[in-house]
Amino acid sequence: MAEWTQWKESAELPFRASLNASTLFPYRLGIEEQIRTAAEAGYEGIEIWMKDLEAYAAEGGSVSALRRLASDLGIEIANAISFIPWADADEGVRARGREQADRELSLLAELGCPAFAAPPFGDVAEVSLEQMGRRFADLAAQSGRYGVAPILEFWGRAKKLSRLGEAIEVARLSGLANVPLLLDPFHLYTGGSDLGDLARLRGEDIGIVHANDYPANPPRETIADADRLFPGDGIAPSAELAKALKACGYRGFLSLELFMDDYGGRSALETARYGLAKMRSAYAV
């Protein structure tokens, strides 16, 4: 424990610290325990996954009680990870996606979650950026009725909307005054984004930032989510990213998102604490 305690005392983030629940997946915790773990480890927020919230509600859990639990523990529900096919090429798929969105948004509104991730999920290869812009505007209008906002996410391996520059263009083409973007070092890397595009962003253009790292091997072409590393353990330009975020005025959540299968015998709480320490070390500016 000495290593993470030392980092915690020596480095503070200029951003708020959040834990993405994916980091805890190997421990098979319910959403209540995920929130408790994030709070005990010292995070200010948590990114939940819709599948966990839906499972909790389906088993009779009270969403309003879950909201009170998070509030009592001092944890903000920062964002939800969702997979709605809002940009899919097929209108029938998009229609079912709108029904899915209504179900999910109702739960998120009750939970007090302000936002959800909107990645290019589904068949988007032949969808133009202009079409994506219009469809994102439709999603934002639907979400706005619940008081929840979509955060536009690009995926490095997506057939379309794979780079930061494309996300900035979709935001422009949506015609909306403000489209928050989700930034993720892994997707910046796998999609070959130009880090210079970060200079085009203002703090209010960024909805949330994921924190992770990646090794030189496997190479960019074959690296997978499971290969993600704790911040500072790979080749990601973490310090450069942190400086760019600070320079543009971003002071929101930096959220640890890993997909590891094993943490070398650490408990869930130890992993969460270790991850927070690694974020503070890698992204200190």
Side-chain angles (χ1 to χ4, degrees), residues 246-279:
K246 185 177 181 182
C248 78
Y250 180 71
R251 297 296 184 273
F253 280 110
L254 192 64
S255 188
L256 181 68
E257 186 186 53
L258 301 176
F259 294 92
M260 292 184 179
D261 296 325
D262 179 78
Y263 291 104
R266 292 189 183 96
S267 68
L269 179 58
E270 288 169 343
T271 292
R273 285 173 168 167
Y274 181 75
L276 179 57
K278 293 291 286 184
M279 281 205 301

Side-chain angles (χ1 to χ4, degrees), residues 84 92-105 142 146:
I84 297 170
V93 173
R94 295 200 305 277
R96 291 190 291 275
R98 289 190 289 272
E99 294 174 356
Q100 173 188 343
D102 279 328
R103 293 192 301 271
E104 294 185 2
L105 288 163
Q142 180 182 8
Y146 294 86

Side-chain angles (χ1 to χ4, degrees), residues 44 71-72 132 141 147 200 205 258:
E44 298 174 75
S71 178
D72 290 346
M132 280 193 169
R200 301 169 58 186
D205 296 326
L258 301 176

